[in-house]
Amino acid sequence: MGDLFRSEEMALCQMFLQPEAAYATIAELGERGCVQFRDLNTQVNAFQRKFVTEVRRCDELERRITYIEHELKKDEITLPLLMDEEPNAPNPREIIDFEAQLESIENELRELSQNEVNLNSNFMGMTELEQVLENTAGFFSDQEVLNLDTSRFVATDADPSLAQQRGQLGFVAGVIKLERFFAFERMLWRICRGNIFVKRSDLSSMSKDPETGHMILKTVFVAFFQGEQLKSRIKKVCSGFHASVYPCPSAHAERADMIRDVRVRLEDLKLVLNQTADHRNRVLVAASKKLPVWSIMVKKMKAIYHTLNLFNMDVSSKCLIGEAWVPSRDLPIVQNSLSKGSASVDSSIPSFLNVIETSENPPTYTRTNKFTSGFQNLIDSYGVASYREANPALYTCITFPFLFAVMFGDLGHGLILVAVGGFMCIAEKKLSKIKEEIFNLFFGGRYIILLMGLFSIYTGFIYNDVFSKSMNIFGSSWYVRYNTSTVLTNPGGLQMDPRYHVNGTYVMGMDPIWQLADNKIIFLNSYKMKLSIIFGVVHMVFGICMSLINFSYFKQPMNMLLQFLPQVLFLLLLFGYMVFMMFFKWAKYSGDATDVALGPGCAPSILILFINMVLFGSQEPLKGCKEYLFDGQKELQTIFVIVAVVCIPWMLLGKPFYIMCTRKNKPSKELSHENGAVENGKPSSAPPAGGHGHGDDEPMSEVFIQQAIHTIEYVLSTISHTASYLRLWALSLAHAQLSEVLWTMVLSASFGMPNYAGSILIYVIFGAWSGLTVGILVLIEGLSAFLHTLRLHWVEFMSKFYIGEGYAFMPFSFRTILDSENAE
């Protein structure tokens, strides 16, 4: 947890790599994932960098792998799961063999695919020819055979119109898509001016298009005509409509011989097609076993060359120079990686690393584990922490599920959340393989869900609320002193005085007797409202104290005096004092008090006291009661209000006047910017004080205006933020009432049914009640409470100390690259 308190200390390093060892060194750093490289070639075009040729080779390898994957999907061959250990990036010496192997597989697959397309085209053509020969048999009769022959329409040179004079009919037979036939028929009718007769016969089965692979329905047609000129026109129309024309003799014997010949050829084609498919399947299966490994190797290799393009070549072209941000505690790991990279290629000159001074603001890096990563993501969604400032995620691990549970306090609903979160935590290895986006959103916050459920169980136990019912574990501290006649003669109800009807304090939580009380809502309303104010003020005071930690770490003593002190005084003297009055009232006034002035009837309203305190007003108390909680309260409140009012100009003018005096007294040669001063060779990471930096070159008018804005913002937000915590009360009350409505109006409606009908009704209604409970009270209400809790942390808590103007540390890591590509 120490790593979560503040971001890692970063160092800007300069690397000097030998060209022969650069690839192996970057590969080793990619496996470690602890270095963020900077681009030293921003002025160089992407196509003019040193390793652009290698990147293009990797792109070509990726294209070939993508093609093989496409062919595997086409044949419905699933890729095997990758082994536990990922392959390392290939050696530069292995890339040539690797490239040749991929090229060989691609060429073989392309040749097999083209052969398969040609064979399928031939097979479909022969199949269609067979169907034409079979389906056209009914178009001819014995009397027509003598007059129908396509060979009889060849005109001689002596008399071109000889065929037409003889009055013989010709025909063209073929196959066309059924969807095109009717337009095809109309076109033939128009160009032949009605001198044509077309007959068709639909094929019983659908055929597969060899190019697209789609199933289509075709029909056999025969067009009868007279004259060579019409024949030429018909063939042109067939070509335009992509109709396949096949030779078809009119004689029955010739057709029979031709059908036998076609069927023999079809059997041969089937045999060749099966052999081709088997060979293609063997090639794909063999490639699929290595494809996941190849894919990872190419991605790593491409990432390495992209990173090497960020390096700069020295003047002698004998050394690659790069710069990178490295966590200070990981410097030995980086140095070890450089040594391994040089040793792997037997380089005589070692690579080395230098830590350099810089005035730049380093990236923010916070080490997390599977438990803390979810909470850190909640904070980073608001804004990445400025370098080395206090990290709210450490405290959010507790405050977030607790504030959620205050709004979601129900032991039964908390058990549901614990079951869901616990299951995802136990089966996280199996569930981590699911790549569905919405599920991964919940899976990433599995520990948050688990803690929210556990805290909800605790608050549900305190509220004594289980699916809107109460548990009677410790009995009740209330007892009835009225006798039977008194109860029977007062049908309008009797009030129970705590002085006579309460036996001590309840052990823990809420007394179950409140389930029967008529004033249950009034009591819970006051109870939960006061709790929300108390939790809110404590949470905000803690946020202001966190700013003190930042000022102390960044050595800003004047910010402690001119910013932290007036802010904490303003908050404590007003709303902190209001919380004090709540506890004082609970301790002083009691139903057991013998003095009337200390009884519940004389207890003053905290809200009225607070309003009168701010407005310097007063209210006449009831007879025998006192206006204030203790003696001297009026004078003390006056002092508190005066000091709180003084804190406003203190915040408004203190810091600007201090900056003005500092500039006048400091010689110009000693002026240095607040941000970026180098101390002991390390970049100064001091963020602007309170998130409001004032450089030495900034006009004083801007300083005064900016400070005025932030002062007004803090004063007004102190009031609005305190009121904002009332959402804890509102959502808690709403959740309890919704749960009670579901129990009363849905489930308990079936309890009065007798016999078997009641059992069946309870079974059905219980299913509806369970669905509504999970859907409305757990999912919808849970999401609402989650969002409100998130807002309380982002706005009410973190605004007191969190700047969030940093940028994330994004190291060069193979694991991150592969995960991001798999997510896509």
Side-chain angles (χ1 to χ4, degrees):
M1 286 302 229
D3 294 335
L4 203 63
F5 180 77
R6 201 181 298 279
S7 61
E8 290 279 332
E9 186 175 348
M10 307 296 292
L12 182 61
C13 301
Q14 196 171 38
M15 295 184 183
F16 296 86
L17 306 180
Q18 301 306 313
E20 64 273 9
Y23 181 91
T25 302
I26 298 301
E28 187 68 27
L29 290 175
E31 297 291 347
R32 301 287 185 174
C34 58
V35 177
Q36 177 179 331
F37 291 96
R38 301 173 64 192
D39 191 358
L40 301 183
N41 300 314
T42 53
Q43 305 300 325
V44 180
N45 189 290
F47 299 100
Q48 296 176 343
R49 302 201 178 193
K50 181 175 178 58
F51 297 95
V52 65
T53 304
E54 286 77 3
V55 172
R56 288 177 178 173
R57 287 178 63 189
C58 294
D59 290 335
E60 179 65 18
L61 292 175
E62 281 189 335
R63 184 196 61 77
R64 288 172 177 169
I65 290 176
T66 303
Y67 171 75
I68 297 173
E69 289 179 348
H70 176 71
E71 295 298 315
L72 288 170
K73 292 179 181 178
K74 188 189 296 184
D75 286 21
E76 298 181 353
I77 299 176
T78 56
L79 290 172
L81 296 177
L82 188 66
M83 67 290 295
D84 295 336
E85 295 184 2
E86 293 181 357
N88 296 323
N91 238 325
R93 295 187 295 269
E94 300 173 356
I95 295 177
I96 298 177
D97 297 336
F98 176 51
E99 189 176 16
Q101 189 176 7
L102 271 179
E103 183 180 5
S104 173
I105 294 175
E106 182 195 15
N107 293 337
E108 187 174 7
L109 286 176
R110 289 190 181 276
E111 184 179 354
L112 288 172
S113 298
Q114 187 60 42
N115 290 340
E116 187 178 13
V117 171
N118 295 336
L119 289 171
N120 283 328
S121 298
N122 293 336
F123 183 79
M124 189 180 71
M126 297 300 296
T127 304
E128 290 180 350
L129 176 58
E130 181 187 20
Q131 292 171 340
V132 167
L133 295 173
E134 292 176 349
N135 284 274
T136 55
F139 296 160
F140 305 102
S141 61
D142 294 339
Q143 290 79 11
E144 293 174 328
V145 170
L146 299 176
N147 296 325
L148 296 175
D149 193 352
T150 55
S151 64
R152 296 177 184 177
F153 293 101
V154 181
T156 62
D157 296 337
D159 190 359
S161 62
L162 180 61
Q164 295 180 0
Q165 293 175 0
R166 292 178 181 176
Q168 294 176 340
L169 292 176
F171 67 91
V172 173
V175 177
I176 189 174
K177 291 183 180 180
L178 183 59
E179 60 186 16
R180 297 179 180 174
F181 174 77
F182 302 102
F184 171 72
E185 186 178 25
R186 286 194 299 270
M187 182 60 68
L188 290 178
W189 182 265
R190 290 173 182 172
I191 66 169
C192 298
R193 298 179 181 178
N195 297 318
I196 191 171
F197 178 66
V198 181
K199 299 185 70 176
R200 71 182 177 94
S201 175
D202 295 341
L203 300 181
S204 59
S205 60
M206 301 181 71
S207 56
K208 185 178 182 181
D209 192 336
E211 296 292 339
T212 62
H214 298 157
M215 302 301 293
I216 53 178
L217 190 61
K218 293 187 175 183
T219 183
V220 176
F221 70 90
V222 175
F224 297 96
F225 58 89
Q226 186 178 19
E228 185 68 22
Q229 190 175 10
L230 290 180
K231 179 180 180 181
S232 177
R233 292 180 183 178
I234 291 171
K235 288 191 174 181
K236 288 181 179 179
V237 174
C238 291
S239 177
F241 279 86
H242 301 286
S244 302
V245 178
Y246 296 99
C248 179
S250 59
H252 176 73
E254 294 180 7
R255 287 201 305 275
D257 292 340
M258 196 170 184
I259 288 174
R260 284 193 296 270
D261 183 54
V262 168
R263 288 175 177 172
V264 172
R265 296 177 63 183
L266 280 175
E267 291 298 326
D268 294 339
L269 282 174
K270 286 181 181 178
L271 180 61
V272 175
L273 279 171
N274 291 333
Q275 292 177 348
T276 303
D278 291 340
H279 181 58
R280 172 186 168 86
N281 183 264
R282 287 194 297 270
V283 173
L284 288 175
V285 170
S288 67
K289 296 178 180 179
K290 300 180 180 179
L291 199 63
V293 176
W294 291 343
S295 179
I296 292 176
M297 292 170 65
V298 171
K299 289 174 183 176
K300 288 186 176 182
M301 182 169 58
K302 185 178 179 180
I304 291 171
Y305 285 122
H306 269 302
T307 304
L308 287 174
N309 277 330
L310 305 179
F311 281 65
N312 192 6
M313 184 68 73
D314 69 340
V315 180
S316 61
S317 299
K318 294 182 179 179
C319 183
L320 287 173
I321 303 174
E323 292 183 1
W325 291 107
V326 182
S328 297
R329 61 187 293 185
D330 290 342
L331 286 174
I333 298 177
V334 176
Q335 189 64 55
N336 186 35
S337 300
L338 297 181
S339 302
K340 285 186 177 180
S342 300
S344 63
V345 295
D346 298 329
S347 176
S348 58
I349 304 176
S351 302
F352 57 93
L353 183 75
N354 285 336
V355 178
I356 60 177
E357 298 178 354
T358 180
S359 60
E360 294 186 28
N361 196 26
T364 300
Y365 174 51
T366 305
R367 295 183 190 269
T368 59
N369 51 38
K370 61 184 180 181
F371 174 76
T372 59
S373 60
F375 296 97
Q376 188 64 53
N377 290 335
L378 291 179
I379 303 303
D380 292 342
S381 299
Y382 176 82
V384 178
S386 300
Y387 180 63
R388 299 292 288 167
E389 75 170 326
N391 184 15
L394 175 63
Y395 319 103
T396 303
C397 294
I398 298 300
T399 60
F400 190 92
F402 177 74
L403 292 182
F404 171 87
V406 172
M407 294 181 275
F408 197 75
D410 190 293
L411 196 149
H413 301 155
L415 285 173
I416 296 176
L417 288 181
V418 169
V420 174
F423 171 74
M424 288 192 291
C425 293
I426 294 173
E428 60 183 10
K429 289 186 178 180
K430 295 181 180 179
L431 298 177
S432 61
K433 299 177 182 178
I434 300 176
K435 302 302 180 182
E436 205 277 325
E437 184 177 1
I438 301 298
F439 174 80
N440 286 335
L441 189 63
F442 285 94
F443 181 73
R446 58 194 181 277
Y447 288 99
I448 301 178
I449 296 175
L450 178 62
L451 282 184
M452 290 192 306
L454 292 174
F455 277 85
S456 296
I457 292 175
Y458 168 74
T459 54
F461 185 77
I462 296 298
Y463 295 158
N464 203 354
D465 200 354
V466 186
F467 296 117
S468 79
K469 299 285 110 178
S470 293
M471 301 179 295
N472 190 6
I473 300 177
F474 306 106
S476 176
S477 59
W478 290 79
Y479 61 95
V480 180
R481 294 183 61 197
Y482 302 117
N483 54 34
T484 305
S485 61
T486 304
V487 174
L488 293 177
T489 56
N490 291 273
L494 295 170
Q495 290 188 352
M496 301 177 69
D497 191 342
R499 180 184 302 180
Y500 307 108
H501 297 270
V502 177
N503 184 17
T505 305
Y506 196 66
V507 178
M508 177 177 286
M510 197 70 62
D511 196 312
I513 198 66
W514 284 106
Q515 283 285 348
L516 306 176
D518 293 335
N519 60 337
K520 171 187 174 184
I521 298 297
I522 299 175
F523 169 74
L524 290 178
N525 186 47
S526 175
Y527 170 73
K528 293 184 177 181
M529 182 175 62
K530 289 181 175 63
L531 282 182
S532 63
I533 295 296
I534 294 171
F535 291 146
V537 172
V538 171
H539 202 210
M540 289 190 295
V541 170
F542 178 62
I544 296 177
C545 293
M546 290 302 300
S547 67
L548 179 64
I549 296 177
N550 280 333
F551 298 148
S552 175
Y553 178 80
F554 294 118
K555 299 178 181 179
Q556 298 170 341
M558 293 310 300
N559 282 333
M560 301 181 191
L561 179 63
L562 302 177
Q563 185 167 323
F564 164 75
L565 191 56
Q567 285 183 354
V568 73
L569 282 177
F570 185 84
L571 181 60
L572 288 177
L573 294 181
L574 293 180
F575 298 99
Y577 173 69
M578 182 172 64
V579 171
F580 164 76
M581 287 193 293
M582 293 179 188
F583 283 100
F584 191 87
K585 177 181 175 181
W586 288 338
K588 182 175 181 180
Y589 295 91
S590 171
D592 297 332
T594 56
D595 189 357
V596 178
L598 299 179
C602 287
S605 171
I606 300 298
L607 181 60
I608 299 299
L609 282 176
F610 184 75
I611 293 175
N612 290 335
M613 166 187 170
V614 177
L615 300 179
F616 296 102
S618 62
Q619 185 180 20
E620 186 68 24
L622 297 175
K623 185 177 181 181
C625 300
K626 295 181 180 180
E627 180 182 358
Y628 295 102
L629 296 173
F630 53 88
D631 297 335
Q633 183 179 3
K634 181 178 180 180
E635 293 75 13
L636 182 63
Q637 290 180 167
T638 304
I639 296 173
F640 283 176
V641 173
I642 293 174
V643 174
V645 172
V646 171
C647 289
I648 298 176
W650 188 354
M651 288 184 284
L652 178 64
L653 303 174
K655 191 173 180 181
F657 280 133
Y658 169 73
I659 294 175
M660 184 185 300
C661 296
T662 303
R663 290 182 180 180
K664 289 181 180 179
N665 298 330
K666 184 184 298 183
S668 58
K669 64 179 180 180
E670 295 180 1
L671 289 177
S672 60
H673 295 289
E674 290 183 16
N675 297 331
V678 178
E679 299 177 1
N680 299 325
K682 297 180 181 178
S684 174
S685 57
H692 325 310
H694 305 292
D696 293 318
D697 56 348
E698 185 177 4
M700 285 306 304
S701 60
E702 294 292 334
V703 175
F704 275 99
I705 292 173
Q706 191 176 12
Q707 190 64 26
I709 293 173
H710 294 301
T711 301
I712 296 172
E713 179 186 8
Y714 177 79
V715 173
L716 295 181
S717 66
T718 301
I719 303 171
S720 62
H721 289 178
T722 304
S724 182
Y725 278 93
L726 290 175
R727 69 187 68 234
L728 298 173
W729 151 60
L731 267 72
S732 175
L733 208 61
H735 185 83
Q737 292 305 304
L738 278 175
S739 180
E740 187 171 353
V741 166
L742 270 184
W743 181 279
T744 304
M745 302 188 66
V746 178
L747 188 60
S748 63
S750 62
F751 291 165
M753 295 292 294
N755 302 331
Y756 298 105
S759 302
I760 297 174
L761 187 61
I762 289 177
Y763 178 80
V764 174
I765 292 182
F766 179 79
W769 175 80
S770 301
L772 292 173
T773 298
V774 174
I776 296 178
L777 294 179
V778 177
L779 290 180
I780 298 179
E781 279 284 314
L783 181 60
S784 175
F786 179 89
L787 294 177
H788 283 284
T789 308
L790 194 61
R791 181 243 154 79
L792 289 177
H793 281 79
W794 281 359
V795 179
E796 279 72 22
F797 172 60
M798 290 164 52
S799 63
K800 301 296 185 295
F801 69 98
Y802 189 66
I803 302 172
E805 295 179 352
Y807 63 99
F809 175 65
M810 302 178 66
F812 170 64
S813 171
F814 290 145
R815 182 71 268 156
T816 303
I817 295 172
L818 295 176
D819 289 343
S820 61
E821 293 191 2
N822 291 334
E824 296 176 359

